[in-house]
Amino acid sequence: MSLAYDIATWACLGAGAFFVLVGGIGALRMPDLYTRLHAASVTETLGTLLIVAGLMLHSGGQLATFKLFAILVFLLFTSPISGYALANTAQASGLKPLLGPQNQKARQQ
Amino acid sequence: MTFLGFFTLAFVAISAVLAVTSRNLFESSVWLGIFSLMMAANFFILDAPDVAITEAAVGAGVSTVLFLGALALTAEHEHVKEKFRWLPVVVMSVLGVVLLVVSFEQPLLGDYTAPVHQHVAPWYLSETPRLIDIPNIVTAILASFRGYDTLGEVIVVFTAGIGVISVLGFRPKSKSTLRGSSLAQRVRGVQHHAVLRVVGKLLIPVLMLFALVVQFHGKYTPGGGFSAGALFAAAVMLYGILEGADKSAKALPQLVMLRLAALGATIYSGVGLVAFFKGGNFLNYSVLVTDPLAGQYLGILLIEFGVGLTVTAVLIMIFNAIANRDSY
């Protein structure tokens, strides 16, 4: 039984680390703010949730599990919202997406 | 452990340099927030969770909001002076070299023979269970053994609050500058973000509940009046940001906050005076009730409540005063 828990833990942690890494690479390599945000915020939400879930499996039904669950719920709410707020503010302050129709001509030239 | 410590300290150094060199002041205040967060992580790695909570709540949360509020009143960009001045550079270089040389004389991290581990710390560790009997020794030291210091800190916080209020209470001379671009109106700009408002409102009660846990569970787990006050004030600031600072000032009026801040400091010193009149020393909680341990428990509970009340009220007062001002 404990072996099953361990395997599930490491699967969650590994997948989480993979997604966070992908998000980090995306945030470095993508061309403009919106695509970077897309790469970072989406994968980071999933990645951190998976990591916290893996830690929950590992903590074994103690008080720490509940605390980790509270952190998970908190991240589930705040992580996508911060991405949304950042993108929304960028758009409101007039930053045009590089891949949008406004920049279509500029790219073709 | 050590690796994580080096990692966070390196981040602290990087964010400090970026905060100083950045010309955009909004950027600087965000870097300062990251600085505080990394510092809090470092405190936590060094086994000081009480300090870490306070640093995270005050440094990364409250003071960033206050910086941004103050910047919204003044200007976004730093006024750059082209003239290069030698005196500050020389003074800071000499100071840096002196500090670097002195740092080699310091005991190593975790060295058992260091003075800090040999002076009073062993006495606190061995006597706290007998004299006060609460698990969190930091709270015992802060609230009971060094009660005078903490009383002084509360008075300092209270005085600072009054100072900020008296500075911000004056009406500006010229009403022409920055009129109409008030922070209260900028803050009200969040109101059309339905997503932010709904999720933010979900977080406010959780934040307040967590503040109460930190406040009243501080004898068993890390926490206490200072961090709880900062967390509670952060919840109110979140409300002010989401709904408009005029709403938060209406919900918690300045005059009431001022009186609550005074009440918190009064509770603290009042507990000390009660102990004084019951035949003990000032702030000696053992004489409050017949059982000394129960007296310590009651005294620490009351003075932590006073600390939390003062810190909450002062921070909310400062936020409301800055955010509701329409020009500098």
Side-chain angles (χ1 to χ4, degrees), chain B residues 238-315:
Chain B
L238 188 59
Y239 177 73
I241 290 171
L242 292 173
E243 292 293 315
D246 50 338
K247 290 258 183 69
S248 71
K250 208 173 169 185
L252 300 162
Q254 294 293 74
L255 211 55
V256 177
M257 288 296 108
L258 189 63
R259 282 169 191 166
L260 281 183
L263 180 68
T266 313
I267 287 176
Y268 198 139
S269 41
V271 171
L273 279 182
V274 169
F276 185 63
F277 284 121
K278 282 200 145 189
N281 286 329
F282 185 64
L283 290 174
N284 178 8
Y285 316 130
S286 297
V287 296
L288 285 180
V289 288
T290 43
D291 181 18
L293 287 179
Q296 290 285 348
Y297 187 91
L298 182 68
I300 292 177
L301 191 74
L302 284 173
I303 68 119
E304 288 277 12
F305 179 67
V307 172
L309 202 60
T310 301
V311 173
T312 312
V314 164
L315 288 177

Side-chain angles (χ1 to χ4, degrees), chain A residues 67 74 77-78 81-82 84-85 88-89, chain B residues 192-196 199 202-203 206 221:
Chain A
K67 286 182 182 172
F74 185 80
F77 279 115
T78 53
I81 290 306
S82 58
Y84 159 79
N88 198 304
T89 316
Chain B
H192 68 267
H193 288 281
V195 181
L196 284 184
V199 177
L202 279 178
L203 292 181
V206 180
T221 50

Side-chain angles (χ1 to χ4, degrees), chain B:
Chain B
M1 201 68 121
T2 328
F3 174 74
L4 271 179
F6 277 123
F7 181 75
T8 49
L9 274 182
F11 249 100
V12 164
I14 292 170
S15 50
V17 169
L18 285 169
V20 173
T21 52
S22 160
R23 291 282 172 232
N24 187 323
L25 294 173
F26 279 104
E27 229 176 276
S28 282
S29 35
V30 172
W31 279 120
L32 282 180
I34 295 172
F35 174 92
S36 290
L37 197 64
M38 283 296 144
M39 208 65 211
N42 197 41
F43 286 147
F44 189 76
I45 291 166
L46 293 174
D47 276 342
D50 299 76
V51 194
I53 293 180
T54 314
E55 177 72 28
V58 176
V62 172
S63 64
T64 308
V65 171
L66 291 183
F67 278 146
L68 294 180
L71 284 178
L73 288 178
T74 55
E76 186 179 341
H77 286 280
E78 188 182 354
H79 181 68
V80 186
K81 277 186 185 161
E82 293 299 328
K83 201 179 148 201
F84 188 79
R85 286 191 294 177
W86 279 105
L87 186 67
V89 177
V90 172
V91 169
M92 292 320 287
S93 318
V94 171
L95 191 66
V97 170
V98 168
L99 284 178
L100 198 67
V101 170
V102 168
S103 73
F104 289 116
E105 301 283 318
Q106 277 200 328
L108 291 172
L109 178 66
D111 184 3
Y112 182 68
T113 57
V116 66
H117 297 306
Q118 294 297 326
H119 183 47
V120 285
W123 188 85
Y124 285 141
L125 288 177
S126 67
E127 296 299 303
T128 300
R130 187 173 67 81
L131 292 174
I132 298 181
D133 197 25
I134 58 172
N136 187 355
I137 293 176
V138 175
T139 303
I141 295 172
L142 188 133
S144 185
F145 291 128
R146 312 296 302 261
Y148 273 110
D149 298 2
T150 314
L151 178 61
E153 284 172 37
V154 171
I155 301 297
V156 165
V157 169
F158 180 57
T159 317
I162 290 181
V164 171
I165 292 309
S166 15
V167 169
L168 288 176
F170 288 111
R171 289 287 97 201
K173 274 183 196 164
S174 63
K175 296 215 165 187
S176 58
T177 46
L178 284 179
R179 188 80 192 169
S181 64
S182 66
L183 179 66
Q185 279 173 354
R186 284 187 202 182
V187 159
R188 255 179 245 119
V190 181
Q191 280 189 345
H192 68 267
H193 288 281
V195 181
L196 284 184
R197 286 179 61 200
V198 169
V199 177
K201 274 187 190 167
L202 279 178
L203 292 181
I204 290 174
V206 180
L207 209 54
M208 287 186 162
L209 191 67
F210 183 59
L212 290 178
V213 170
V214 169
Q215 168 82 53
F216 291 109
H217 214 249
K219 290 187 279 308
Y220 307 102
T221 50
F226 288 100
S227 31
L231 284 168
F232 209 88
V236 175
M237 287 180 190
L238 188 59
Y239 177 73
I241 290 171
L242 292 173
E243 292 293 315
D246 50 338
K247 290 258 183 69
S248 71
K250 208 173 169 185
L252 300 162
Q254 294 293 74
L255 211 55
V256 177
M257 288 296 108
L258 189 63
R259 282 169 191 166
L260 281 183
L263 180 68
T266 313
I267 287 176
Y268 198 139
S269 41
V271 171
L273 279 182
V274 169
F276 185 63
F277 284 121
K278 282 200 145 189
N281 286 329
F282 185 64
L283 290 174
N284 178 8
Y285 316 130
S286 297
V287 296
L288 285 180
V289 288
T290 43
D291 181 18
L293 287 179
Q296 290 285 348
Y297 187 91
L298 182 68
I300 292 177
L301 191 74
L302 284 173
I303 68 119
E304 288 277 12
F305 179 67
V307 172
L309 202 60
T310 301
V311 173
T312 312
V314 164
L315 288 177
I316 291 173
M317 202 160 68
I318 293 176
F319 170 74
N320 281 338
I322 289 183
N324 282 309
R325 213 175 152 78
D326 39 19
S327 70
Y328 61 92

Side-chain angles (χ1 to χ4, degrees), chain A residues 23 27 40 63 98 104:
Chain A
L63 181 63
L98 198 63
Q104 201 87 40

